[in-house]
C-alpha cells in the first residue's frame, strides 16, 4: 500500500515508519510512505502557505493553491485509484471499520491542516472524506495522519507476526478486548485469574468472552447496543454483572 501525506512537517510525519510494526511494514515493502510539503508548491518569494481568513476572525488559513498543487502531484505519482482524506476535527469519526476499508485499498492521500484550517475550496475540489480521530482539537493533522497510518499498517497482510492479533483486536469483534496476563503468576500479591492457568481451553475462551462483554458494559455500553449478542453472550454478561455487583468480578477493576 502507498500512503502520501501532504503536510507542512514532512519530517515529523515520516517518524511514524521509524519504529515498531509500521517500521517493519515499510521495510518489508508492505507500506510506502511519501510526504509532500505544500511549501515547495508556492511561487512567491516568501513561500507563503497561509493568509488571513476572509470575514475576519482569529488565526490564519492555509491557502488553496499550494495544497491543491501538492495533492495533485501526489495523486499523479501513482496510477492506482486513491482516496483523499482530510484530517480535521469536523470529520467523521475514525473507527476500525473505516481503517479496515482503507487497508483494503491500494492508496491513500492524507491531507494535514494547520492553524485555523484550510481553504474550504480544497475540501470541495480534492477531498473524498474528512476524518476526525476524536472530539478534541490538536494543533494540526499530522498526529491524526500518523494515527491513521499506524492503524492501517498493522492490518496489511504480513504486518503482524500473528494474524490472530488483528482479528481479536478491540472493536473488530465490536467489543473491547479482554485483559491479558503473562508470567509470573503473581505480581506483588496479584494472581493471574485461575482459569487462565488451568489449561481448559473452553473455559478460557468463555472467561475471555465474558471479560470482553463485561468491560464493554462497564466502559463503553453503547458498544453493546450495536454488537450482536447471542444467548450465551447474554448469559455471560449477566454473570459478569452479577459478580461485579457482588464485588467479586475476576478481572482488573475498571476505572470510572
Ligand atoms: N486536526 C486537529 N484536531 C484533529 C482531530 N481531532 N482529528 C483529526 N484531525 C485533527
Amino acid at each position: 500500500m502507498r500512503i502520501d501525506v501532504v503536510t507542512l512537517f514532512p519530517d515529523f510525519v515520516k517518524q511514524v515508519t521509524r519504529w515498531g510494526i509500521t517500521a517493519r511494514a515499510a521495510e518489508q515493502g508492505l507500506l510506502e510512505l511519501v510526504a509532500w510539503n505544500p511549501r515547495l508548491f508556492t511561487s512567491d518569494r516568501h513561500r507563503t502557505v497561509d493568509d488571513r481568513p476572509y470575514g475576519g476572525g482569529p488565526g490564519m488559513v492555509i491557502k488553496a493553491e499550494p495544497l491543491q498543487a501538492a495533492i495533485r502531484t501526489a495523486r499523479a505519482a501513482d496510477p492506482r485509484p486513491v482516496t483523499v482524506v482530510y484530517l480535521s476535527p469536523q470529520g467523521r469519526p475514525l473507527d476500525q471499520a473505516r481503517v479496515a476499508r482503507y487497508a483494503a485499498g491500494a492508496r491513500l492521500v492524507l491531507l494535514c491542516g494547520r492553524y485555523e484550517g484550510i481553504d474550504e475550496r480544497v475540501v470541495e475540489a480534492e477531498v473524498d472524506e474528512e476524518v476526525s480521530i476524536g472530539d478534541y482539537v490538536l494543533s494540526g493533522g499530522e498526529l491524526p495522519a500518523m494515527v491513521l497510518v499506524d492503524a492501517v499498517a498493522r492490518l496489511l497482510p504480513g504486518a503482524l507476526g500473528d494474524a490472530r492479533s488483528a482479528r481479536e483486536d478491540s472493536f473488530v469483534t465490536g467489543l473491547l478486548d479482554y485483559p491479558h496476563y503473562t508470567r509470573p503468576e503473581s505480581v506483588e500479591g496479584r494472581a493471574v485469574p485461575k482459569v487462565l492457568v488451568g489449561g481448559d481451553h473452553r473455559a478460557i475462551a468463555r472467561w475471555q468472552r465474558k471479560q470482553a462483554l463485561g468491560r464493554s458494559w462497564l466502559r463503553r455500553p453503547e458498544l453493546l447496543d450495536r454488537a450482536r449478542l447471542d444467548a450465551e453472550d447474554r448469559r455471560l454478561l449477566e454473570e459478569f454483572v452479577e459478580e461485579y455487583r457482588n464485588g467479586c468480578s475476576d478481572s482488573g477493576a475498571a476505572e470510572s
Side-chain angles (χ1 to χ4, degrees):
M1 172 162 206
R2 172 173 171 150
I3 304 181
D4 293 82
V5 186
V6 174
T7 168
L8 288 166
F9 300 96
D11 292 340
F12 177 30
V13 169
K14 281 189 266 178
Q15 299 293 316
V16 71
T17 54
R18 283 192 57 179
W19 293 280
I21 301 282
T22 42
R24 215 175 60 195
E27 280 159 21
Q28 290 176 320
L30 305 173
L31 171 70
E32 186 186 3
L33 187 76
V34 182
W36 302 88
N37 189 343
R39 202 175 288 284
L40 304 182
F41 293 84
T42 52
S43 46
D44 66 312
R45 207 156 54 89
H46 301 290
R47 296 208 169 280
T48 313
V49 289
D50 60 341
D51 207 336
R52 286 166 296 141
Y54 276 118
M60 300 288 270
V61 175
I62 306 192
K63 292 162 71 64
E65 298 97 318
L67 283 181
Q68 224 155 5
I71 295 167
R72 287 177 183 172
T73 304
R75 261 187 210 282
D78 186 301
R80 294 172 294 173
V82 62
T83 305
V84 178
V85 177
Y86 171 41
L87 285 312
S88 111
Q90 282 72 47
R92 298 190 187 277
L94 183 64
D95 60 14
Q96 194 65 24
R98 190 177 289 270
V99 169
R101 177 155 61 77
Y102 292 155
R107 287 200 70 194
L108 283 175
V109 169
L110 306 181
L111 173 58
C112 305
R114 278 268 146 184
Y115 315 114
E116 287 308 303
I118 68 175
D119 192 304
E120 189 65 20
R121 290 165 293 188
V122 177
V123 182
E124 290 166 14
E126 306 290 342
V127 170
D128 299 306
E129 302 182 5
E130 193 166 338
V131 168
S132 165
I133 64 159
D135 290 342
Y136 43 84
V137 179
L138 299 165
S139 50
E142 282 75 15
L143 286 168
M146 291 160 85
V147 165
L148 199 157
V149 169
D150 184 292
V152 166
R154 56 192 296 291
L155 294 190
L156 299 176
L160 296 182
D162 186 337
R164 276 179 307 178
S165 304
R167 281 202 300 275
E168 292 177 9
D169 275 339
S170 294
F171 307 114
V172 171
T173 59
L175 299 173
L176 300 185
D177 200 2
Y178 53 80
H180 300 262
Y181 302 86
T182 187
R183 288 183 290 185
E185 265 191 54
S186 175
V187 174
E188 294 183 340
R190 290 172 194 273
V192 172
K194 263 208 189 75
V195 61
L196 298 182
V197 291
D200 179 343
H201 296 291
R202 274 180 56 106
I204 291 171
R206 207 174 166 277
W207 180 88
Q208 289 172 334
R209 182 74 182 167
K210 181 165 145 184
Q211 297 305 316
L213 289 159
R215 284 186 149 187
S216 303
W217 170 72
L218 279 169
R219 303 178 188 182
R220 298 287 304 277
E222 80 281 9
L223 294 178
L224 290 179
D225 298 336
R226 275 181 261 145
R228 274 194 291 275
L229 306 187
D230 63 17
E232 169 71 356
D233 285 334
R234 288 181 202 290
R235 226 176 357 257
L236 289 172
L237 182 55
E238 261 170 44
E239 266 178 45
F240 183 97
V241 171
E242 178 149 336
E243 286 164 19
Y244 178 79
R245 295 213 160 115
N246 293 334
C248 67
S249 155
D250 191 12
S251 74
E255 58 290 359
S256 57

